[in-house]
Amino acid sequence: MIKIVTDSSSDMSPHLAAELGVTVIPMRISFGNRVYHDGVDIDRADYYRHLTKSMVLPTSEPPLPEEFQQAYGRLLKNADQILSIHLSSKLSKTVQVAQETAKAFLGRSKITIVDSRLVSWGQELLVTMAAEAAQKGLLLEDIVRLVRGLIPHVYMVFFVENVEYLEHHGHFSRGRILTDNLPGVRPLLIMEDGEVVPMEKVRTRGKSVDRLFEFVTEFARFDRVMILQGRPSDEAQLLFERLLEVFPEKRLDVRPYGPALATYLGPDALGIVVHEGA
């Protein structure tokens, strides 16, 4: 039997995780010296309440090795293989922590760690397809091949209001080229090979909606589009309505991103994830 594991930066709902039999290990969300477990003792609403009161910017940190060890050990009582899919190693050391923990189980079982090179719904998409494949009885090697083959066909672009969150994480030195000495300019960012890099610059949220809309329309074909927002915004709904008008037959959704991604993008980013399909 194959068990699927991920972390809470996938933003997978408890209902979907339970339906698919996926184990979600919570990321740690830090506000200074206060550390919370994503989805356990802090949710989106809690996160934004803490954000308004905090004097320091929050960060997300990997689960502890013992948290991985407990999860793997529990699952291996009823399974002999685990596929553990985590957020991009360019954003977090979660993959490395999982890999180190898996070494303790060598010789007793097979644990395969996959770097999704994605986050939030892009990561959830991989986890969902892996879990569905496991339920159908596919071999671990075939599921890993499926997941890794899917990664290059998932595209993520974000508009951020405040680059300080990325700078605080140490992931945005290249992006300053887009914004330095240009008052009012904000970056559009794209995930390339797991790294958040600058794509271009825009001056208003309205322009960001235009550019995100254009990004989707540039695809010759796609299977699904997910619009990601922090705190609810009119722009997310506007983008959804514009895409729905042009692509009424496609799968289009809007959802909030969770605390883990919010520590990188801030509370008011607007993003889009395109699954190009096979």
Side-chain angles (χ1 to χ4, degrees):
M1 181 182 293
I2 302 170
K3 292 292 187 178
I4 309 298
V5 175
T6 191
D7 57 78
S8 64
S9 65
S10 64
D11 291 334
M12 176 171 273
S13 72
H15 174 76
L16 180 59
E19 180 181 313
L20 295 174
V22 173
T23 296
V24 180
I25 303 177
M27 299 288 288
R28 293 178 296 144
I29 307 297
S30 299
F31 284 88
N33 294 326
R34 294 293 301 273
V35 179
Y36 302 90
H37 287 80
D38 185 14
V40 177
D41 53 9
I42 188 170
D43 59 16
R44 292 184 183 92
D46 296 329
Y47 174 84
Y48 292 125
R49 281 196 295 269
H50 286 303
L51 192 63
T52 60
K53 301 174 183 177
S54 178
M55 300 297 292
V56 296
L57 291 178
T59 59
S60 62
E61 302 169 17
L64 295 171
E66 50 264 38
E67 293 172 313
F68 274 106
Q69 189 166 17
Q70 289 171 4
Y72 291 161
R74 182 178 67 253
L75 292 173
L76 289 170
K77 291 178 181 178
N78 299 303
D80 54 0
Q81 296 177 314
I82 289 176
L83 176 57
S84 204
I85 304 171
H86 299 286
L87 81 159
S88 173
S89 60
K90 300 290 181 64
L91 295 179
S92 168
K93 293 183 178 180
T94 303
V95 166
Q96 292 92 317
V97 175
Q99 289 171 333
E100 286 299 313
T101 306
K103 291 179 181 178
F105 295 90
L106 284 175
R108 291 181 286 160
S109 55
K110 185 171 184 179
I111 302 175
T112 301
I113 314 297
V114 171
D115 179 355
S116 73
R117 291 187 275 171
L118 298 164
V119 69
S120 191
W121 187 75
Q123 180 183 341
E124 182 196 293
L125 178 64
L126 304 190
V127 174
T128 298
M129 297 192 77
E132 290 175 344
Q135 288 181 342
K136 293 176 182 177
L138 269 69
L139 298 175
L140 178 61
E141 293 76 11
D142 293 330
I143 299 174
V144 172
R145 191 178 305 112
L146 171 70
V147 169
R148 288 181 172 152
L150 177 60
I151 292 172
H153 298 284
V154 181
Y155 299 82
M156 304 188 74
V157 177
F158 299 99
F159 166 80
V160 295
E161 286 280 4
N162 189 342
V163 300
E164 289 182 7
Y165 290 85
L166 281 160
E167 291 172 340
H168 184 61
H169 267 287
H171 289 287
F172 202 47
S173 59
R174 293 171 60 183
R176 295 192 62 89
I177 299 171
L178 286 174
T179 57
D180 279 352
N181 303 317
L182 295 172
V185 169
R186 302 173 182 86
L188 276 177
L189 310 170
I190 189 168
M191 289 201 74
E192 290 185 352
D193 194 28
E195 185 177 7
V196 177
V197 298
M199 188 170 79
E200 57 188 74
K201 57 183 180 290
V202 294
R203 289 193 174 273
T204 66
R205 286 185 71 89
K207 290 293 185 183
S208 75
V209 172
D210 292 340
R211 189 62 190 93
L212 291 172
F213 173 80
E214 291 167 2
F215 181 80
V216 177
T217 61
E218 289 168 1
F219 283 83
R221 57 178 175 78
F222 64 86
D223 181 64
R224 188 176 181 185
V225 168
M226 181 66 73
I227 298 168
L228 298 178
Q229 62 177 342
R231 291 183 286 210
S233 69
D234 293 338
E235 289 83 8
Q237 185 61 31
L238 174 60
L239 180 56
F240 174 79
E241 291 172 357
R242 289 181 63 180
L243 289 170
L244 185 63
E245 184 177 356
V246 178
F247 304 106
E249 78 290 354
K250 295 293 186 180
R251 298 174 68 190
L252 309 170
D253 296 285
V254 182
R255 71 152 59 170
Y257 54 81
L261 184 55
T263 65
Y264 291 91
L265 301 183
D268 298 308
L270 180 63
I272 200 154
V273 189
V274 181
H275 174 209
E276 191 176 27

